[in-house]
Amino acid sequence: MQTSALMLIATGFYILFVCAVGIWSSRKAKDEVGFLVAGRSLGPILGGATLMANQVSAGTTVGIVGFHYFSGISFAWTWPLTWVGWMVAALFVAPKMRNFAGVTLSDYLATRFQSESIRVLASVLILMGYTFLLSAQYQAGGLIFGMVTAMPYTRAVLLVASISFLYTVLGGMYSNAYIGLLKAAILITAYCCAIPFLLQQTGGLSSLAGSLYAIDPKLTGGWFSVRQLIALSLAVGLGTATAPYEITAFYSLASQRATRLAIGYSFLFQAFVAIGVLICGLAARNLMPYLSSPDLAVPTLGLHVLPPWMGALLLLAVVVTLTRTGGALLLTSASSFSHDVYLHFLRPKASEQEKLIVHRVMIGLLSLAPISIAFAKLDLVNFVILFAVKFLASAFFAPVVIGLNWSGATRAAATTSMVLGPAAVMVWARFQHPTLLGMEAAEAGLLANTLSFIAVSLAKPGIVSGRRYGSQLVD
Amino acid sequence: MLRFLLVLLAGLFSYADSISVEITPNRHAMVHERYSLSSPGEFVFLASAGVRVEKIQSAGGRPLEISGSGPWFTVRIPPTHAVDLIYEVVPMLPLPRTSGVPMVMPKHAVESVSVTITDFGSGLSRVSVPHLIRHPDSKTWSATFPAVPSHLQLEWETGNAPPAPSAGPAGLFAWNFWGLTGVLVTWTVAYLLWARRQAV
C-alpha cells in the first residue's frame, strides 16, 4: 500500500481517537478550571508531555528539519541554548505560577500589578501572537496534506484546523494533555524507526557528514554564528519560560513537585525530537539535495524515501504535532479573550455552565482568523513561528520572570515593557540585513522589554499599587 | 491557427524532466537523463561506495568534462535549452548485492522528475531508496519526485557485499554531533536527579 493511502488511514484513526479523547475529556471538564487547566491534576509524565507538546510544533517537525536541510548541523545547538529558558522557568517561574493557581497568564499579570488594563493589553498581545502561530501550524498542515494526498491546500488547511478545533472544543486542557502524550509517543517511535533507516541509506553518520561537508563546509560546522544561535535561542527559550500556553500548563500540574519533574520529562522528550529532526534534515539534504523549498524536506522523506509504513508514521507524527500545538494555541488564545475580557468584564457572575459555553464559542470564532492567514501563506513556516515567538517573548519576559522575583516591579513598568518590547521586535524586523545597531530582533525586543521594565520601576517606585499582593507572589 | 502551431512546436522541443535507468544482466546501470533548462547550469553527482560513473556524454555522443575530488563531482554541460545526457554506472565488484547508482543532477530545483528503472535480466529484487512503484511485470519500477534523488539504492537477492563507504573530511561534524548529544543526555539526567531531590 502507498504511503499516502496509509497516511490517510492513519489520519482517519487519529481523528477517531481525537474524538474519543475529546468526548471522554468533556465529561471530566465540568467547570472552567477543569476545562482550561485540567482541574490542576496533571502528573509529571503527562505534564512533561504537555510542556513538550506545546513547544514542539510545526516549526520543529517541519520548519527545523528545513533549517537543518539548508543550514546543516549548527542550528541544533539552539536546543540546549533554549533549555536555558526552561531552567529559568524551572527555577524562577513554574513553581511560583503553580502556587498562584490562576487560569491564564493575564490572570497573573493583572493580579501581580493590580491592573485591569494590563489584563486587556496582555490578552490583545496573546491574541496577536497566537493568531500568527496558529496560522503557521495550519500552513504547515496544508503543505503536508497537499503534498501527500494531492488534497487542495485550502481544504487541507481546513482539515487540520478542524482536528485542532474538535478535541479542544470538546475536552479543553484534558484533551490537550492526553493528545500531548500521544504526540510524544508517536514522535519518539517515528524518529526511532526513521533514524537507523536514514543513516543506513546515507552510508552512516561519517559518510553523511562527508557528503554534506563537500556540498558546503559550513553545513557540518558553523552556518549560524554563535551570536545568531544565542539570539535565536534567547527568543525561543525565554519565550518558552513565559509563553502563555506553558504558563497555562504550569497551572494545570498537580503540585510544585510535579511542575519541576514535568520540565525534566519534557527535556527527555525534546532530546529525542532534537536528534530526530537533525538526522531527518541532514539525510534529506544528502538524498534530495535540490528541493525547491526546505519545508518540503519532511514530506519528501515521508513520501519518497522512507518505506511506506515508516513514511506514514513520520507524516502522522507531523500531523499530530501541528494539530496538537494548534489545540494548545487555540485554547490559550480563546481563554485570553473569553476568560480575561468577556467573562471578567461583561459577565463576572456567569455560572460555570455559561463559562464553558463562552469558552467553546470563542474557540470556534478564534479558529477563523488563523485559517484566513494560512490561506495567504505568509513565509517559510519557521520564519512565521520565530517572529511570533520573538514578539511574545519581548512582551512578557520581564513582567513574568522579573515581576515574579522582584517586589519593586511596578504597574507602569509592566505596561511600558509590554509595549516597547514587541514594538522593538517589529522595528528590528524591518532591518534584517544589516540589522539595526548590529542587534537581532529578539535581542532588541528582550533588551527593550527588560531595560524599560527595570528603568521605569526604579524611576517611579511610588506608584506601586500592587506591592502587597505582588510581594506575596514574589516571596 | 498560429497559436496552435506555436503550442505544438513548444511541445515538440520541450522535455519533461525524466531519468531512465536500465539495469544490465551484469548489474551495470545505463542512465539516460533529460532536463529542460531555463538557464544553463552546473550538474553534479554524489559518488557512491562501490561504483564508478563512466562515459558521461551528451545524447549526441559528445563526452562531458568531469571535475572535483569527491564525494561530489561537477559535470560541465555546454549552454543549451535542454540537456540530454547518458552515462554508465559500473560496480567495482562483480555482481554486487546492493548498489547505489549516483544521479547526475542539475544544481538547482526542478519542478518534478520522473524516474523509471527497467531490469534487463539482472534479477533486481528491490529499489530501497527512493520509494518507487513496482509494475506488474516485475521488471519496471517508476515514480515521480519533487527533486532529483542523489542516488538510487538497488538490491538483489544474491551477490557480493559492497565495500563500506569511506568517510571523507567532515569538518566539525563529529564534535558538533557528539557534543550536542552528550550535552542533551547529561543535562536531562542531571536535571531529573536534581528535580527528584528537590521534590523529596
Side-chain angles (χ1 to χ4, degrees):
Chain A
M1 194 179 282
Q2 291 306 298
T3 306
S4 50
L6 283 171
M7 154 85 172
L8 279 176
I9 293 169
T11 305
F13 277 110
Y14 172 56
I15 292 172
L16 288 177
F17 182 80
V18 155
C19 290
V21 168
I23 291 166
W24 182 65
S25 301
S26 68
R27 292 178 186 166
K28 297 178 80 174
K30 288 177 180 159
D31 55 15
E32 187 181 47
V33 169
F35 188 75
L36 295 182
V37 289
R40 309 188 203 285
S41 62
L42 304 186
I45 294 180
L46 197 54
T50 303
L51 294 173
M52 178 281 291
N54 287 348
Q55 194 199 351
V56 172
S57 67
T60 310
T61 53
V62 176
I64 293 185
V65 174
F67 265 40
H68 288 310
Y69 179 90
F70 82 80
S71 68
I73 194 170
S74 59
F75 193 77
W77 283 104
T78 55
W79 286 94
L81 291 169
T82 302
W83 287 7
V84 173
W86 279 104
M87 291 305 297
V88 170
L91 294 170
F92 304 113
V93 178
K96 287 186 175 184
M97 280 294 183
R98 174 59 193 83
N99 267 5
F100 170 62
V103 172
T104 62
L105 173 60
S106 308
D107 270 347
Y108 153 74
L109 292 167
T111 309
R112 168 67 182 86
F113 300 105
Q114 292 205 339
S115 164
E116 294 307 327
S117 57
I118 285 183
R119 181 189 291 275
V120 175
L121 176 61
S123 300
V124 170
L125 290 169
I126 291 169
L127 267 179
M128 287 168 67
Y130 277 17
T131 297
F132 283 98
L133 275 173
L134 250 178
S135 76
Q137 309 303 314
Y138 296 162
Q139 183 177 330
L143 287 170
I144 298 283
F145 267 105
M147 188 171 174
V148 172
T149 64
M151 190 183 286
Y153 175 75
T154 49
R155 202 180 298 169
V157 166
L158 288 173
L159 174 66
V160 171
S162 304
I163 297 173
S164 296
F165 166 76
L166 194 63
Y167 76 79
T168 306
V169 82
L170 285 171
M173 190 61 176
Y174 278 114
S175 297
N176 268 287
Y178 293 118
I179 303 290
L181 195 59
L182 174 75
K183 173 172 165 176
I186 292 181
L187 276 171
I188 291 172
T189 310
Y191 290 132
C192 284
C193 294
I195 289 173
F197 180 86
L198 291 172
L199 288 178
Q200 186 198 359
Q201 295 303 328
T202 52
L205 207 52
S206 304
S207 180
L208 172 63
S211 74
L212 295 171
Y213 183 78
I215 295 174
D216 186 338
K218 282 194 291 184
L219 291 175
T220 59
W223 183 286
F224 291 102
S225 66
V226 174
R227 170 81 185 278
Q228 284 174 311
L229 290 173
I230 290 174
L232 281 168
S233 309
L234 269 180
V236 178
L238 298 178
T240 299
T242 58
Y245 55 15
E246 299 293 15
I247 300 289
T248 305
F250 296 147
Y251 290 147
S252 307
L253 285 151
S255 62
Q256 276 192 320
R257 174 183 186 274
T259 309
R260 284 213 173 92
L261 280 171
I263 292 175
Y265 286 113
S266 116
F267 286 151
L268 185 66
F269 296 134
Q270 288 180 58
F272 276 100
V273 175
I275 301 299
V277 295
L278 172 64
I279 297 295
C280 283
L282 300 182
R285 184 65 183 266
N286 174 283
L287 296 165
M288 296 261 185
Y290 297 105
L291 285 170
S292 57
S293 162
D295 277 348
L296 295 179
V298 166
T300 301
L301 286 180
L303 271 182
H304 303 298
V305 174
L306 296 168
W309 69 270
M310 213 186 278
L313 188 62
L314 183 73
L315 294 171
L316 178 68
V318 173
V319 171
V320 175
T321 294
L322 49 92
T323 51
R324 166 57 182 76
T325 304
L329 292 167
L330 201 49
L331 186 67
T332 309
S333 58
S335 62
S336 76
F337 189 83
S338 54
H339 172 84
D340 290 309
V341 179
Y342 182 82
L343 290 170
H344 189 81
F345 291 107
L346 301 178
R347 298 282 300 162
K349 291 180 180 169
S351 66
E352 289 299 321
Q353 203 58 33
E354 185 184 345
K355 286 178 182 175
L356 288 180
I357 292 170
V358 171
H359 292 315
R360 287 180 165 133
V361 168
M362 200 50 63
I363 286 169
L365 291 176
L366 289 181
S367 297
L368 302 176
I371 290 174
S372 55
I373 295 172
F375 285 164
K377 284 191 199 170
L378 288 183
D379 203 336
L380 273 185
V381 169
N382 217 25
F383 286 127
V384 177
I385 289 173
L386 278 175
F387 180 79
V389 166
K390 289 173 196 174
F391 181 87
L392 288 172
S394 302
F396 297 125
F397 173 70
V400 172
V401 178
I402 304 177
L404 265 175
N405 295 281
W406 179 36
S407 61
T410 67
R411 177 194 305 167
T415 311
T416 309
S417 65
M418 285 165 65
V419 172
L420 286 184
V425 168
M426 293 176 83
V427 169
W428 255 259
R430 303 281 300 170
F431 300 93
Q432 291 193 340
H433 300 291
T435 52
L436 208 55
L437 303 176
M439 278 196 293
E440 212 273 336
E443 293 173 301
L446 285 168
L447 209 59
N449 179 261
T450 307
L451 290 182
S452 62
F453 188 79
I454 294 170
V456 174
S457 292
L458 293 174
K460 290 190 172 181
I463 63 160
V464 180
S465 56
R467 175 161 297 214
R468 191 179 58 80
Y469 204 102
S471 297
Q472 282 178 344
L473 275 174
V474 172
D475 296 337
Chain B
M1 185 64 183
L2 180 63
R3 193 177 166 191
F4 173 75
L5 283 172
L6 285 174
V7 169
L8 193 67
L9 281 170
L12 283 174
F13 287 100
S14 70
Y15 287 110
D17 296 341
S18 66
I19 299 171
S20 162
V21 183
E22 294 178 0
I23 311 297
T24 64
N26 57 355
R27 299 182 186 176
H28 289 211
M30 314 299 292
V31 186
H32 185 181
E33 300 188 4
R34 290 151 62 104
Y35 298 100
S36 56
L37 297 177
S38 52
S39 58
E42 273 185 344
F43 277 60
V44 292
F45 68 87
L46 175 61
S48 275
V51 296
R52 284 191 310 269
V53 177
E54 294 183 349
K55 301 175 193 165
I56 300 187
Q57 53 190 303
S58 62
R62 182 176 164 189
L64 298 170
E65 183 191 336
I66 303 175
S67 59
S69 55
W72 288 90
F73 293 89
T74 302
V75 181
R76 304 258 171 234
I77 295 188
T80 173
H81 74 283
V83 169
D84 199 334
L85 58 92
I86 297 168
Y87 56 93
E88 184 175 355
V89 178
V90 181
M92 291 176 188
L93 288 173
L95 298 178
R97 199 175 66 237
T98 64
S99 179
V101 176
M103 297 285 99
V104 177
M105 64 185 79
K107 213 173 168 180
H108 59 76
V110 297
E111 202 167 299
S112 67
V113 60
S114 64
V115 177
T116 306
I117 300 175
T118 311
D119 182 28
F120 287 94
S122 76
L124 181 64
S125 59
R126 188 163 166 258
V127 183
S128 54
V129 166
H131 185 62
L132 290 109
I133 313 260
R134 189 173 195 169
H135 290 218
D137 65 6
S138 298
K139 291 178 180 173
T140 312
W141 287 256
S142 67
T144 300
F145 300 113
V148 184
S150 61
H151 69 278
L152 307 174
Q153 191 68 33
L154 312 180
E155 293 181 14
W156 290 268
E157 292 290 346
T158 56
N160 298 310
S166 58
L172 296 171
F173 185 86
W175 188 91
N176 271 310
F177 184 81
W178 295 114
L180 176 76
T181 308
V183 168
L184 295 181
V185 171
T186 310
W187 191 314
T188 303
V189 172
Y191 178 88
L192 277 170
L193 289 173
W194 172 80
R196 281 186 181 281
R197 196 172 299 160
Q198 289 287 311
V200 171

